[in-house]
């Protein structure tokens, strides 16, 4: 897309079995950027970070200057999309705790975290935490999740912990989450989001009806888990290891 002298480019960073995209937009030296997901474990250190360092050099930034990002976006919490972003945010936190300049200046994070989507109730918090930890470690025999539990919910359980890590990291860094939305990024309002430099994003999904349907199904699955096994430490051993 072009408008006058504005240029928009979408760059794919090598991300193994996952994805990591850099959207560059705007005129010349005033170009801004959006980072869209960060690939699985190992991608940030080996591929994404070196590319960002190259961008710093091209922008002639000093040691005490941060590479600006208008937005960092996480499409969903599968490891092959979110792990690299968590590594990036953790590096930001380490720099902040050491009173060093932050490598990146992130204005907004778009991330529909699981807790916000599912609206977990207080009485389910313990078992939900246990499920997430068990699924993340994928160790020990454990007990299988209910056979009739939807695959979508199983996949989410396996990634709950990572979503929480990113949400908590953004809070530590003071990064706005899902602005200008109040809560989840979803259709219908606001449908169009202006990012400046002539670029706008149009949100087409998820819509509220799909989120409500997911929440309804999750509540049903969670009740089945609670009924099957009350010990949260052995509530799950599912791990989503499929490449896609």
């Amino acid at each position: 897309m072009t408008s006058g002298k504005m240029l928009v480019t979408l760059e794919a960073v090598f991300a193994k079995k996952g994805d990591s995209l850099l959207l560059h937009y705007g005129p010349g030296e005033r170009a801004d950027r959006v980072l869209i997901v960060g690939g699985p474990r190992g991608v940030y250190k080996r591929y994404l970070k070196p590319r960002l360092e190259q961008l710093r050099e091209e922008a002639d930034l000093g040691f005490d200057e941060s590479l600006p990002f208008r937005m960092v976006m996480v499409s969903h919490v599968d490891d092959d999309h979110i792990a690299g972003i968590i590594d990036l945010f953790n590096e930001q936190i380490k720099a902040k705790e050491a009173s060093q300049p932050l490598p990146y200046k992130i204005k907004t994070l778009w991330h529909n975290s699981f807790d916000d989507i599912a609206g977990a109730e207080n009485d389910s918090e313990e078992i939900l935490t246990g499920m997430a930890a068990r699924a993340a470690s994928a160790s020990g025999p454990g007990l299988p999740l209910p056979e009739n539990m939807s695959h979508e919910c199983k996949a989410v359980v396996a990634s709950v912990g990572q979503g929480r890590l990113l949400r908590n990291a953004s809070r530590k860094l003071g990064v706005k989450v899902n602005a200008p939305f109040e809560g989840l990024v979803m259709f219908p309002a606001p449908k169009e989001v202006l990012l400046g430099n002539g670029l706008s994003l149009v949100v087409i999904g998820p819509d509220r009806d799909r989120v409500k349907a997911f929440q309804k199904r999750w509540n049903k699955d969670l009740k089945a888990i609670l009924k099957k096994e009350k010990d949260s430490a052995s509530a799950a051993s599912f791990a989503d290891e499929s490449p896609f």
Side-chain angles (χ1 to χ4, degrees), residues 84-96:
I85 301 299
I86 292 175
D87 289 341
L88 183 152
F89 272 65
N90 284 339
E91 186 172 78
Q92 293 276 93
I93 290 174
K94 289 180 181 179
K96 181 177 181 180

Side-chain angles (χ1 to χ4, degrees), residues 100-196:
Q100 296 176 348
L102 301 186
Y104 318 111
K105 183 179 181 181
I106 301 170
K107 186 173 183 179
T108 307
L109 168 69
W110 273 14
H111 167 46
N112 285 351
S113 69
F114 174 82
D115 290 347
D116 294 329
I117 296 173
E121 301 174 0
N122 291 333
D123 58 1
S124 67
E125 185 69 15
E126 182 181 356
I127 192 167
L128 182 60
T129 301
M131 289 164 58
R134 191 58 179 272
S137 65
S139 62
L143 292 175
L145 294 174
E147 294 181 359
N148 63 345
M149 186 178 193
S150 65
H151 174 75
E152 291 83 359
C153 288
K154 287 182 179 180
V156 169
V157 167
S159 303
V160 170
Q162 289 178 308
R164 288 185 172 182
L165 283 174
L166 181 57
R167 182 190 63 184
N168 294 336
S170 64
R171 289 176 176 173
K172 289 181 180 180
L173 294 168
V175 176
K176 294 181 179 179
V177 179
N178 294 347
F181 293 81
E182 293 294 334
L184 298 177
V185 175
M186 63 182 175
F187 183 82
K191 180 179 180 182
E192 184 177 19
V193 178
L194 303 178
L195 295 187

